[in-house]
């Protein structure tokens, strides 16, 4: 097609073209800015596919790093809002058992200000007492974190942060001691915390859930083995988008050391499942 001369008698339409282009460019700029703002606010990323991510408030990341081998942490590791994803041997994102974690924490270690992207393999392993502070899982792999300490005095603390897209468990509680999850958000999950139902070595496990916001779809907030004396204490729980109340605050099981655990009742009994109706708000 031959280009028109600037003096071809279409001066009016020629004058409007730059204006139209400028307006279109402005609209596009606003759309891009809005999308960037949305990413900062909700954790979504352009082209992201994880449904749970859209329901999780994740801080804007400050950098990206791929891990091809487990990073072992002693002392304090501050990720400064870096997003870590698995690669190579850590590129799994499914429910296959026995995957290695992105981070392994020694007894007493602290992991903070970290975003785990996808794939996240088996997330974080705590070998003893540990603290996870403002750690976010955008799309949980096998599990978000597994707690493995053998001492009844072990203390695991998850403070702040959030997780989304857990097909099964967010936190796998295999060891002994007490796990506290507070000021945490979870969305699109199977179980928030589950005591191991069939570990070869079983322990009494205590869990405390404080100020947790759970967005449906979801299964159980706490899954405990009543026969091993597990306890779950819940307070300040807010459940969103679950009008039929399908999310179970506390589910009791009969744990085993082989075979399949048996599901029991889900009542608040003041012994194993400890909470009052006022501790759970459905919105």
């Amino acid at each position: 097609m031959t280009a028109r001369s600037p003096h071809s008698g279409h001066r009016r339409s020629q004058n409007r073209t730059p204006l139209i282009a400028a307006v279109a460019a402005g609209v596009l700029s606003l759309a891009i800015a809005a999308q960037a703002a949305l990413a900062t606010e909700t954790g979504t990323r352009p082209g992201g596919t994880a449904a749970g991510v859209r329901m999780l408030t994740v801080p804007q990341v400050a950098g990206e790093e791929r891990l091809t081998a487990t990073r072992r942490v002693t002392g304090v590791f501050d990720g400064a809002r870096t997003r870590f994803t698995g690669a190579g041997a850590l590129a799994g994102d499914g429910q296959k058992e026995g995957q290695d974690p992105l981070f392994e924490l020694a007894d007493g270690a602290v992991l903070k200000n970290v975003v785990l992207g996808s794939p996240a393999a088996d997330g974080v392993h705590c070998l003893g007492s540990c603290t996870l502070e403002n750690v976010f899982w955008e799309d949980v792999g096998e599990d978000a974190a597994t707690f493995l300490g053998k001492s009844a005095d072990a203390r695991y603390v998850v403070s702040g942060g959030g997780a989304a897209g857990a097909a099964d468990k967010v936190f796998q509680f295999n060891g002994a001691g007490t796990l506290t999850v507070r000021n945490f958000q979870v969305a699109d999950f199977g179980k928030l915390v589950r005591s191991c139902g069939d570990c070869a070595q079983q322990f009494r496990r205590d869990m405390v859930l404080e100020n947790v916001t759970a967005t449906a779809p979801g299964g159980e907030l706490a899954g405990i083995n009543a026969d091993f004396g597990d306890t779950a204490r819940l307070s300040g729980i807010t459940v969103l988008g679950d009008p039929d109340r399908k999310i179970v605050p506390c589910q009791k099981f009969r744990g085993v050391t082989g075979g399949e655990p048996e599901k029991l009742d889900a009542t608040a009994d003041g012994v194993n499942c400890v909470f009052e109706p006022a501790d759970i708000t459905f919105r």
Side-chain angles (χ1 to χ4, degrees), residues 189-194 218-223 247-249 251 253 263:
F189 64 100
K191 304 171 183 68
L192 176 55
V193 184
R194 174 68 170 105
E220 302 154 6
L221 294 178
I247 292 177
V248 177
Q251 176 66 55
F253 293 84
K263 181 176 282 191

Side-chain angles (χ1 to χ4, degrees), residues 5 51 87 142 151 217:
S5 163
E142 182 183 350
S151 171

Side-chain angles (χ1 to χ4, degrees), residues 215-271:
T215 301
E220 302 154 6
L221 294 178
I224 61 174
N225 300 320
D227 54 325
F228 294 125
D230 290 358
T231 65
R233 299 177 180 274
L234 285 68
S235 62
I237 307 298
T238 301
V239 179
L240 304 177
D242 185 22
D244 297 327
R245 301 195 175 191
K246 293 182 178 181
I247 292 177
V248 177
C250 182
Q251 176 66 55
K252 283 171 273 187
F253 293 84
R254 181 174 288 111
V256 297
T257 55
E260 290 294 324
E262 177 187 354
K263 181 176 282 191
L264 305 176
D265 66 272
T267 59
D269 56 16
V271 177

Side-chain angles (χ1 to χ4, degrees), residues 150 174 196-203 205 228 256-258:
K150 302 298 184 183
N174 287 357
C196 182
D198 60 357
C199 283
Q201 183 180 13
Q202 292 283 22
F203 306 93
R205 305 175 178 100
F228 294 125
V256 297
T257 55

